[in-house]
Amino acid sequence: MAGSTLVPGAASPDRGTQPAGVDYALFAATVMLWGTTWIALKLQLGTIAPQVSLVWRFLIAAPIMLIVARSLGAPLAFPLRTHLRFVLLAALMFSTNFMLFYNAGTFVVSGLLSVIFSLASVLNILLAAVILKEPIRGRVAAGAFLGVTGAILLFGHEVDASALGLQALVGLGLGTLGTLSFCLGNMMSAATQRDGIPVLSSTAWGMVYGVGINAAVALATGASFAIDPEPAYLLSLVWLAIPGSVGAFWIYLALLGRMGADRAAYTTVLSPVLALLISTLFEDYRWSAMAFGGIALVVAGNVLVLTGRRAPQRTPEPEPEPEARIDSIAR
């Protein structure tokens, strides 16, 4: 499983053991990068259609990702069948997921969006059990439940403020579908890594095809391929494209292969906490006893998710050679 590591060819850790130091570093880096994208995403909303902003975002990110993959020795030539998998990955993780969240951001507050996204920790557990046949581990399931509950408490006042009107329900629906798309993309990425495809390769091609899919949607909807010259839009676009896409997805998808879909998805619970701290500085978020209780639950869930041994995966016995089978039957 060379594809599950940051650098092609590096050895993958034993997934039956506790996370190694590099796993903790990748986990923290993912939280730090994604925690800053919520405020940047909010700055993208306004005059430019979300699907067009996504075209610009991945038009910047894709060439950089291709250069990174090439310079680190990741292969970029694959058969058509593999490219079809990259297209599906792009549709789920680099198009539909973002398009739904960008549009949801026009209906509900950013805090509520991050709470919806934190449901990825639960959805990944369920989807990994159904699609990847991974066992549901009690500690991780309990940690995810605590984390999501904590995230809801952190943004409880924003959930209340939405009053669950028609617009809020539309936003909730779009955000939930966006989270599901993200989690299905996680399953696709985990499956490609299991098949030995390096994470750098799949991420680079996913972003390339993401540009095409987002551009096709923009053309189909009649959106104008304009760009907002305001510094806030341009700076947030660059941040989302490079640290928020190239850096965050490379690190997260490597983490996915190293720690498993269930543990890796807990980053979606912790990143809203960082988003909350940023909101305190820039959006006048007001702390409350409920918010501090939410922090405590998130920390407790973090301890449960990142401690304890991962259930060892059963390795199938190799098929005996034909001569050995014949000899065994004869005896």
Side-chain angles (χ1 to χ4, degrees):
M1 262 184 59
S4 66
T5 57
L6 269 177
V7 180
S12 296
D14 179 3
R15 295 174 70 185
T17 62
Q18 286 188 335
V22 66
D23 298 324
Y24 289 120
L26 296 177
F27 192 95
T30 302
V31 171
M32 291 289 290
L33 289 171
W34 274 354
T36 60
T37 58
W38 294 106
I39 189 69
L41 185 151
K42 186 174 181 179
L43 294 172
Q44 292 283 287
L45 303 177
T47 59
I48 307 300
Q51 53 268 37
V52 174
S53 289
L54 287 170
V55 171
W56 305 142
R57 176 175 178 172
F58 289 110
L59 199 59
I60 296 170
I64 297 173
M65 201 72 224
L66 286 169
I67 293 170
V68 170
R70 186 69 174 175
S71 64
L72 291 177
L76 293 175
F78 293 93
L80 177 61
R81 182 176 179 180
T82 303
H83 276 277
L84 294 177
R85 298 175 71 176
F86 294 156
V87 171
L88 181 57
L89 178 66
L92 293 170
M93 290 198 75
F94 303 112
S95 178
T96 306
N97 159 40
F98 286 109
M99 211 171 294
L100 288 167
F101 266 105
Y102 273 56
N103 282 283
T106 64
F107 294 100
V108 295
V109 294
S110 61
L112 184 52
L113 284 180
S114 62
V115 170
I116 299 170
F117 190 56
S118 70
L119 292 174
S121 62
V122 176
L123 287 176
N124 261 12
I125 293 172
L126 299 176
L127 290 174
V130 173
I131 298 175
L132 302 179
K133 308 302 181 185
E134 292 189 355
I136 296 178
R137 293 177 289 154
R139 292 178 67 92
V140 176
F145 175 78
L146 288 176
V148 171
T149 303
I152 292 172
L153 290 178
L154 283 168
F155 292 100
H157 72 286
E158 294 198 29
V159 176
D160 291 339
S162 70
L164 290 182
L166 178 60
Q167 284 195 337
L169 287 175
V170 172
L172 283 168
L174 291 173
T176 301
L177 290 173
T179 304
L180 178 61
S181 176
F182 170 79
C183 292
L184 288 171
N186 280 202
M187 299 305 107
M188 173 60 66
S189 177
T192 58
Q193 291 187 58
R194 283 185 173 185
D195 291 342
I197 299 172
V199 66
L200 283 174
S201 305
S202 61
T203 304
W205 279 114
M207 289 184 179
V208 169
Y209 289 122
V211 173
I213 294 170
N214 292 321
V217 173
L219 287 170
T221 56
S224 173
F225 284 86
I227 190 165
D228 190 339
E230 289 295 319
Y233 180 87
L234 296 175
L235 290 173
S236 61
L237 176 62
V238 171
W239 181 261
L240 288 169
I242 302 176
S245 295
V246 174
F249 274 99
W250 175 15
I251 294 170
Y252 174 76
L253 293 177
L255 186 70
L256 182 74
R258 294 178 63 91
M259 296 181 68
D262 50 3
R263 276 178 169 167
Y266 198 77
T267 56
T268 65
V269 175
L270 284 180
S271 58
V273 177
L274 177 58
L276 176 60
L277 297 176
I278 294 172
S279 182
T280 303
L281 296 174
F282 297 103
E283 297 180 302
D284 196 29
Y285 178 87
R286 300 299 176 88
W287 288 83
S288 65
M290 185 167 65
F292 282 111
I295 286 282
L297 287 178
V298 170
V299 171
N302 188 49
V303 172
L304 281 176
V305 168
L306 294 178
T307 58
R309 293 174 60 84
R310 182 179 177 85
Q313 295 180 326
R314 190 164 60 110
T315 303
E317 294 183 5
E319 285 287 324
E321 296 295 328
E323 295 83 357
R325 283 202 300 267
I326 294 171
D327 183 60
S328 175
I329 294 170
R331 280 186 286 191

